[in-house]
Amino acid sequence: MTVLGYMANGLVFSSIIVLGSIGLSLVYSIADFANFAHGDTMTIGAYTALVTFGAVGGLGGAVLGLPFGFFVALVVGIGVAAVVAVATEKLIYEPLDIDSIGLLITSIGIAFIYRALIQIGFGSDFTRFDVQQLRPIESLVPYGVRVTLHDVAIVASAVVLVVGLHVLLQYTDLGRKMRAMADNPDLARVSGIRTKRVKLWTWVIGAGLAGAGGVFLGLFNQLSPRMGFNLLLVIFAAVILGGIGSVYGAMAGGFLIGMITQLTPFFSNVVEALPIGPGWLATLLENLITIEYANAIAFVIMVVVLLVRPNGIAGEGAT
Amino acid sequence: MSLLDDPRATFADLTRPEGWVLGVSVAFALFLLVAMLTGALGPTYFLFLVGLAGMYALLSFGLNAQWGFTGLINFSVAAFFGIGAYGSALMTASSSPIAGGFNPLVGLVVALVVALVLALLIGIPTLRLRTDYLAIASLGLAEVVRLVVLNERWLTNGSAGVRGIPGFFQGWPVLSTFPEAMPGLRLVVIPGSPIILGTSFWQSLLNVLLVLAFAGVTFFVLRRAHQSPWGRVLRTIRSDEDLARALGKNTYSFKMQSFILGSLIMALAGVFYTHLNLYVGPGDLDPITTFYAWVAVILGGSGSNRGALFGGIVIVTIREGTRFLNDVALPIDPAPMRLLLIGVVIVAVMRYRPQGVLPPQRELIWPSAVDGRATPETPDSGVRERKGGGGDE
C-alpha cells in the first residue's frame, strides 16, 4: 500500500475514534469523571444495530452500499446507547455519594455489567453485520487506496455528526449551557442553569455518538463483546492528547491517534528504509514500530502527553 | 485483645460487620468441609482453591499497599503479576526460550528484580500525575507490557506461553521429594466414599504452606508498615497530599516507595501462581486480573489488610463458583457470569458501602491504645532522642 492508502485507512479509523472520544471528553468535563464504561457503550450501540438490522432487513434501496435498513439500525443503535447511558446515570451514578475516583471505579463495574450481558446474550464470538462485503472502489485502486463505499459512508456519517455537534455547541442554548458547565459547574449553577438537565443531555449526546462509533466500528471490523473495551484505551489516548474536556481537542486527538495507529506499518517501512545511526538503534526501532505495537505506540504517546503537556494540544484552557 | 485470654470479650468487641464476616466465613468453611467429607469436593482441588485464595489475597495486599495506604490508583496490577509469573517461569521452566532450568529461588529473585525495574519504569513518569490520569496511564502501560509479552516470541514464547515449570520446592533438600515420600492415605469418613490422599495432595499441601508463608510475612510487614510513622505519612498523602507536602514530606518519594512495595508483593503473587499453575501464558496479563484485585480491595475495605484477605476469598468463590454452577446447574458460560458478578459487586459496594465491608478501624492504632484498660505506654525518652534527631520521617 502507498502512503495515500494508509492515510485513507487512517481517516476511516479516525472517524470512529473521533466519535468515541467526543463523548468521553464531554462526560469527562461535565459529569467530571473518567468513564470507563464508554467503550462498552459503543458495544451496546453496535449490537443494538445488529439486532435491529436483522429485524427490519434492507428496506429496499441503498446509499453508499448500505441498505436503508442499516441507517434505521444506526439510528436505533444511537438511541438505545443514549437511553442505556441515561438510565445508568439515573439509577447508578446520580444516587452515589462519592468523589470522582469512586465514580471512576463504579464505571468499571458498569462496563463489566454491560459487556457480560452482551456476552450472555450473543456469545463471545465475532459476528458481522449482514451487509454485502464490497470490493474497493475501482477508480482509487491505482493510487494504492483500497477503500470501500462503506468506508466512505463511515467518514461521511461521522462528518455529519461532528458538524451537527459543532452547530449544537456553538449556536444553541443547550450548547452554550454545556460549555458553561464544562467551564465552571458552580458558576453555571448559580447563573440559573439547570445543571442536572444539562448533565442528562450530555449523557445523551456522548453515549449517542459512542453508539454511532460502535456501529461503524462493527462495520469497519467485526462485532465482539470486547470490541468497545479494547478500543477504550485508544480513545482515552485521543482524549488526553486533545486535552481532557475539550470537545475540539478530542476531535483533533481522535484524528491524530487514528492516523498514527493506522500509519504504523508505513512508519515501519520508513524506519527500515532510513539509514539510522548505530545498528542496534535501527534494529530496536524496526522491532518496536510494527503493526503489533500500533496500540502500544498510542498508549506511550498518551503517557508522554500527560507528562509534558497535561492539558493536551488544545492549549491551556482545557475546556 | 487476645482470643485466648478472654474469648467472650473478644467476640463482644467485634463490630457488626466483623461479626457478619466471621459468621459467613465460618459457615462457608463448614460448608466446604462437609462437601469435602462427602466427597463432593476433592481435597486436592480444595487445597488448590486455598492456594488460589492466598494468591489473590497476596495480590490484594500489594494493591492495598498502593491504593489503600497511599491512594495510588494503579491499574497495572496485571502487569506486575504477569511479570512476576513470567520472570520465574522463564528462569525455571524446561521449555523456556531463554535461560531456563534454574532453581526456583533464582526465579523468585529474578522476578522481584524485574518487577522492581518495571515499577521504576512505570512509576517514575506516572506518579507525578493527577489520580485519574494515573489510572488511565497505568492501564495503558500495563497494556504495553501485555503486548510486549505477547509479541516478543524470542523472549516469552509468545501466545503459546511457557510450560514445563517445576514446583517451587524443586531442588530443595527434603521438600522436593516430600510428596513422593509421603504415603498415600485413605480416609473413610462416610462408609462407601473413601478420600484418597496421594502425591498430588501432598504437593498441593506444600503449595498452600508456601502461599501461607508468603502471605503471612507480607501481612505482618504491611501491618507493621501501616502503623509505623512511614505508614502515617502515606495515609496523610492519601487524604490530603498538599497537607503532606506542607509538612515537609517529599510526597513523590513516599509514593514511589509505596508503589514499589506494592508492585513487589504483586510480583510475589505472580511467582507463586507460576508454581501453582505450572503454566504461564499472555492471558494472565489480561486486565481482568487487575480488576479482580481491585474488587478484592474495595470490597474488603480500602486500607484494610484483613479486608484484602476477605476480598481474596470472595474472588476465588466468584471465579470457581461460576465454573461449579456451570457444571452443575446453569448452562451459562462461566466467563460472562464472572464478569457480571464482578461488575455487580463493584457497583453494589460503591453504592451501599463505599468504605468496604471491613474498613480499617482499630488496625490503624497501636493495640495498647485501644484496649482501654491500660493507658498507652509512655515512652521513656523523647521521640527525637530515640531517633537521633535524623531521618526524613
mmCIF file of all heavy atoms in Angstrom, chain B residues 74-98:
data_model
loop_
_atom_site.group_PDB
_atom_site.id
_atom_site.type_symbol
_atom_site.label_atom_id
_atom_site.label_comp_id
_atom_site.label_asym_id
_atom_site.label_seq_id
_atom_site.Cartn_x
_atom_site.Cartn_y
_atom_site.Cartn_z
ATOM 1 N N ASN B 74 -3.643 2.348 40.859
ATOM 2 C CA ASN B 74 -2.779 1.580 39.964
ATOM 3 C C ASN B 74 -3.627 0.560 39.221
ATOM 4 O O ASN B 74 -4.151 -0.377 39.817
ATOM 5 C CB ASN B 74 -1.700 0.885 40.796
ATOM 6 C CG ASN B 74 -0.815 0.012 39.946
ATOM 7 O OD1 ASN B 74 -0.847 0.112 38.728
ATOM 8 N ND2 ASN B 74 -0.048 -0.832 40.574
ATOM 9 N N PHE B 75 -3.754 0.752 37.915
ATOM 10 C CA PHE B 75 -4.491 -0.210 37.104
ATOM 11 C C PHE B 75 -3.530 -1.117 36.337
ATOM 12 O O PHE B 75 -3.874 -1.653 35.302
ATOM 13 C CB PHE B 75 -5.434 0.499 36.122
ATOM 14 C CG PHE B 75 -6.714 0.950 36.761
ATOM 15 C CD1 PHE B 75 -7.564 1.820 36.115
ATOM 16 C CD2 PHE B 75 -7.084 0.480 38.004
ATOM 17 C CE1 PHE B 75 -8.748 2.241 36.701
ATOM 18 C CE2 PHE B 75 -8.255 0.890 38.607
ATOM 19 C CZ PHE B 75 -9.086 1.779 37.947
ATOM 20 N N SER B 76 -2.307 -1.244 36.832
ATOM 21 C CA SER B 76 -1.367 -2.135 36.142
ATOM 22 C C SER B 76 -1.027 -3.337 37.005
ATOM 23 O O SER B 76 0.048 -3.896 36.891
ATOM 24 C CB SER B 76 -0.114 -1.366 35.741
ATOM 25 O OG SER B 76 0.430 -0.699 36.845
ATOM 26 N N VAL B 77 -1.967 -3.733 37.871
ATOM 27 C CA VAL B 77 -1.729 -4.902 38.719
ATOM 28 C C VAL B 77 -1.368 -6.115 37.867
ATOM 29 O O VAL B 77 -0.413 -6.844 38.159
ATOM 30 C CB VAL B 77 -2.985 -5.212 39.561
ATOM 31 C CG1 VAL B 77 -2.774 -6.459 40.393
ATOM 32 C CG2 VAL B 77 -3.317 -4.049 40.452
ATOM 33 N N ALA B 78 -2.129 -6.312 36.788
ATOM 34 C CA ALA B 78 -1.911 -7.494 35.953
ATOM 35 C C ALA B 78 -0.503 -7.513 35.383
ATOM 36 O O ALA B 78 0.102 -8.579 35.244
ATOM 37 C CB ALA B 78 -2.939 -7.526 34.823
ATOM 38 N N ALA B 79 0.049 -6.337 35.081
ATOM 39 C CA ALA B 79 1.396 -6.292 34.510
ATOM 40 C C ALA B 79 2.409 -6.797 35.522
ATOM 41 O O ALA B 79 3.285 -7.598 35.192
ATOM 42 C CB ALA B 79 1.737 -4.867 34.084
ATOM 43 N N PHE B 80 2.300 -6.359 36.778
ATOM 44 C CA PHE B 80 3.268 -6.798 37.781
ATOM 45 C C PHE B 80 3.081 -8.262 38.119
ATOM 46 O O PHE B 80 4.050 -9.006 38.277
ATOM 47 C CB PHE B 80 3.156 -5.927 39.035
ATOM 48 C CG PHE B 80 3.661 -4.548 38.797
ATOM 49 C CD1 PHE B 80 2.794 -3.506 38.617
ATOM 50 C CD2 PHE B 80 5.004 -4.316 38.700
ATOM 51 C CE1 PHE B 80 3.252 -2.237 38.352
ATOM 52 C CE2 PHE B 80 5.478 -3.050 38.444
ATOM 53 C CZ PHE B 80 4.600 -2.011 38.260
ATOM 54 N N PHE B 81 1.829 -8.671 38.201
ATOM 55 C CA PHE B 81 1.539 -10.076 38.426
ATOM 56 C C PHE B 81 2.136 -10.916 37.292
ATOM 57 O O PHE B 81 2.839 -11.908 37.524
ATOM 58 C CB PHE B 81 0.017 -10.251 38.480
ATOM 59 C CG PHE B 81 -0.447 -11.662 38.520
ATOM 60 C CD1 PHE B 81 -0.337 -12.398 39.678
ATOM 61 C CD2 PHE B 81 -1.003 -12.248 37.403
ATOM 62 C CE1 PHE B 81 -0.775 -13.702 39.716
ATOM 63 C CE2 PHE B 81 -1.443 -13.556 37.437
ATOM 64 C CZ PHE B 81 -1.329 -14.278 38.602
ATOM 65 N N GLY B 82 1.908 -10.464 36.060
ATOM 66 C CA GLY B 82 2.401 -11.208 34.901
ATOM 67 C C GLY B 82 3.916 -11.212 34.835
ATOM 68 O O GLY B 82 4.528 -12.235 34.504
ATOM 69 N N ILE B 83 4.530 -10.076 35.176
ATOM 70 C CA ILE B 83 5.992 -10.010 35.139
ATOM 71 C C ILE B 83 6.578 -10.951 36.187
ATOM 72 O O ILE B 83 7.549 -11.672 35.932
ATOM 73 C CB ILE B 83 6.463 -8.562 35.372
ATOM 74 C CG1 ILE B 83 6.251 -7.741 34.108
ATOM 75 C CG2 ILE B 83 7.906 -8.512 35.795
ATOM 76 C CD1 ILE B 83 7.121 -8.172 32.952
ATOM 77 N N GLY B 84 5.951 -10.982 37.365
ATOM 78 C CA GLY B 84 6.405 -11.916 38.392
ATOM 79 C C GLY B 84 6.289 -13.351 37.900
ATOM 80 O O GLY B 84 7.221 -14.151 38.035
ATOM 81 N N ALA B 85 5.139 -13.652 37.306
ATOM 82 C CA ALA B 85 4.905 -15.017 36.832
ATOM 83 C C ALA B 85 5.888 -15.364 35.717
ATOM 84 O O ALA B 85 6.533 -16.424 35.744
ATOM 85 C CB ALA B 85 3.465 -15.151 36.352
ATOM 86 N N TYR B 86 6.026 -14.466 34.744
ATOM 87 C CA TYR B 86 6.917 -14.756 33.619
ATOM 88 C C TYR B 86 8.369 -14.791 34.073
ATOM 89 O O TYR B 86 9.154 -15.621 33.604
ATOM 90 C CB TYR B 86 6.729 -13.717 32.513
ATOM 91 C CG TYR B 86 5.829 -14.206 31.413
ATOM 92 C CD1 TYR B 86 4.487 -13.880 31.404
ATOM 93 C CD2 TYR B 86 6.326 -15.020 30.402
ATOM 94 C CE1 TYR B 86 3.652 -14.350 30.419
ATOM 95 C CE2 TYR B 86 5.492 -15.488 29.411
ATOM 96 C CZ TYR B 86 4.154 -15.153 29.424
ATOM 97 O OH TYR B 86 3.339 -15.630 28.445
ATOM 98 N N GLY B 87 8.735 -13.885 34.977
ATOM 99 C CA GLY B 87 10.114 -13.844 35.451
ATOM 100 C C GLY B 87 10.538 -15.186 36.008
ATOM 101 O O GLY B 87 11.572 -15.740 35.630
ATOM 102 N N SER B 88 9.703 -15.729 36.895
ATOM 103 C CA SER B 88 10.113 -17.001 37.490
ATOM 104 C C SER B 88 9.926 -18.136 36.500
ATOM 105 O O SER B 88 10.739 -19.066 36.468
ATOM 106 C CB SER B 88 9.326 -17.250 38.776
ATOM 107 O OG SER B 88 7.982 -17.425 38.478
ATOM 108 N N ALA B 89 8.886 -18.072 35.659
ATOM 109 C CA ALA B 89 8.662 -19.163 34.705
ATOM 110 C C ALA B 89 9.824 -19.258 33.722
ATOM 111 O O ALA B 89 10.325 -20.357 33.438
ATOM 112 C CB ALA B 89 7.349 -18.935 33.955
ATOM 113 N N LEU B 90 10.272 -18.114 33.212
ATOM 114 C CA LEU B 90 11.332 -18.152 32.196
ATOM 115 C C LEU B 90 12.646 -18.633 32.794
ATOM 116 O O LEU B 90 13.480 -19.225 32.097
ATOM 117 C CB LEU B 90 11.515 -16.762 31.578
ATOM 118 C CG LEU B 90 10.370 -16.334 30.670
ATOM 119 C CD1 LEU B 90 10.576 -14.919 30.188
ATOM 120 C CD2 LEU B 90 10.252 -17.269 29.480
ATOM 121 N N MET B 91 12.859 -18.388 34.080
ATOM 122 C CA MET B 91 14.108 -18.834 34.686
ATOM 123 C C MET B 91 14.084 -20.312 35.007
ATOM 124 O O MET B 91 15.112 -20.984 34.980
ATOM 125 C CB MET B 91 14.391 -18.049 35.979
ATOM 126 C CG MET B 91 14.693 -16.581 35.783
ATOM 127 S SD MET B 91 15.807 -16.239 34.438
ATOM 128 C CE MET B 91 17.372 -16.636 35.162
ATOM 129 N N THR B 92 12.904 -20.842 35.347
ATOM 130 C CA THR B 92 12.877 -22.210 35.861
ATOM 131 C C THR B 92 12.398 -23.246 34.852
ATOM 132 O O THR B 92 12.747 -24.418 34.968
ATOM 133 C CB THR B 92 11.958 -22.291 37.088
ATOM 134 O OG1 THR B 92 10.671 -21.817 36.707
ATOM 135 C CG2 THR B 92 12.477 -21.439 38.225
ATOM 136 N N ALA B 93 11.595 -22.830 33.863
ATOM 137 C CA ALA B 93 10.917 -23.825 33.031
ATOM 138 C C ALA B 93 11.897 -24.549 32.118
ATOM 139 O O ALA B 93 12.911 -23.998 31.700
ATOM 140 C CB ALA B 93 9.837 -23.147 32.196
ATOM 141 N N SER B 94 11.564 -25.811 31.806
ATOM 142 C CA SER B 94 12.417 -26.568 30.898
ATOM 143 C C SER B 94 12.228 -26.096 29.464
ATOM 144 O O SER B 94 13.143 -26.190 28.646
ATOM 145 C CB SER B 94 12.086 -28.052 31.013
ATOM 146 O OG SER B 94 10.709 -28.241 30.780
ATOM 147 N N SER B 95 11.015 -25.558 29.153
ATOM 148 C CA SER B 95 10.755 -25.127 27.775
ATOM 149 C C SER B 95 11.037 -23.646 27.585
ATOM 150 O O SER B 95 10.626 -23.058 26.598
ATOM 151 C CB SER B 95 9.295 -25.405 27.421
ATOM 152 O OG SER B 95 8.482 -24.453 28.052
ATOM 153 N N SER B 96 11.721 -23.023 28.551
ATOM 154 C CA SER B 96 11.943 -21.595 28.479
ATOM 155 C C SER B 96 12.776 -21.220 27.257
ATOM 156 O O SER B 96 13.796 -21.859 26.977
ATOM 157 C CB SER B 96 12.663 -21.141 29.752
ATOM 158 O OG SER B 96 13.211 -19.874 29.564
ATOM 159 N N PRO B 97 12.351 -20.206 26.494
ATOM 160 C CA PRO B 97 13.123 -19.828 25.303
ATOM 161 C C PRO B 97 14.455 -19.168 25.638
ATOM 162 O O PRO B 97 15.331 -19.095 24.788
ATOM 163 C CB PRO B 97 12.197 -18.864 24.566
ATOM 164 C CG PRO B 97 11.196 -18.437 25.543
ATOM 165 C CD PRO B 97 11.117 -19.451 26.627
ATOM 166 N N ILE B 98 14.615 -18.650 26.842
ATOM 167 C CA ILE B 98 15.938 -18.110 27.193
ATOM 168 C C ILE B 98 16.605 -19.054 28.182
ATOM 169 O O ILE B 98 16.761 -20.219 27.871
ATOM 170 C CB ILE B 98 15.880 -16.649 27.684
ATOM 171 C CG1 ILE B 98 14.774 -16.462 28.719
ATOM 172 C CG2 ILE B 98 15.625 -15.715 26.530
ATOM 173 C CD1 ILE B 98 14.847 -15.148 29.433
#
